[in-house]
Amino acid sequence: MSDENELKSAAQANPAQSPKIHWDDSEMQTNYSNVCNVMGTREEIMLLFGSNQAWQTGQTEVKVKLSNRILLTPHAAKRLKVLLEMGLKEYETRFGEVKL
């Protein structure tokens, strides 16, 4: 069974046990990022976000200004992976394939 199906099955199997989630965005901040890197240890997965400051091609050095670091447990990182896959699948259905 895929991770996506496991999440859906768990939510459907225990609807009474699933609490209602209230998303409190009163202190949320928004940052732009065009660069992301991932590092990990046994205990955590670290996501680094920043902006590429090189706007011209042919440079020998590129400066990436880091703005955010997100630390996740491996379990939370796996859930994020599933959610990102679902979001990208929906995006590509609507707007076409994202090519790397």
Side-chain angles (χ1 to χ4, degrees):
M1 184 182 292
S2 74
D3 293 331
E4 182 179 339
N5 289 337
E6 287 177 23
L7 285 177
K8 288 179 182 177
S9 295
Q12 292 169 349
N14 301 314
Q17 294 178 359
S18 298
K20 182 177 180 180
I21 298 174
H22 171 73
W23 299 100
D24 180 2
D25 62 358
S26 62
E27 296 184 34
M28 183 174 65
Q29 297 178 9
T30 300
N31 294 302
Y32 174 78
S33 176
N34 61 8
V35 176
C36 179
N37 196 16
V38 179
M39 293 186 271
T41 67
R42 178 175 164 77
E43 293 82 22
E44 66 190 17
I45 303 294
M46 182 187 320
L47 304 176
L48 300 172
F49 294 95
S51 297
N52 178 352
Q53 301 296 305
W55 303 112
Q56 299 173 3
T57 60
Q59 294 180 325
T60 58
E61 189 173 307
V62 175
K63 179 179 180 182
V64 175
K65 184 174 183 180
L66 295 176
S67 57
N68 297 92
R69 176 177 58 195
I70 309 290
L71 299 173
L72 300 167
T73 64
H75 189 80
K78 187 100 178 215
R79 288 194 316 263
L80 177 61
K81 172 189 172 261
V82 170
L83 293 170
L84 287 171
E85 286 173 342
M86 289 168 48
L88 283 168
K89 183 178 178 182
E90 182 180 327
Y91 179 91
E92 289 182 332
T93 298
R94 294 175 70 192
F95 303 107
E97 180 183 357
V98 176
K99 297 182 182 181
L100 296 178

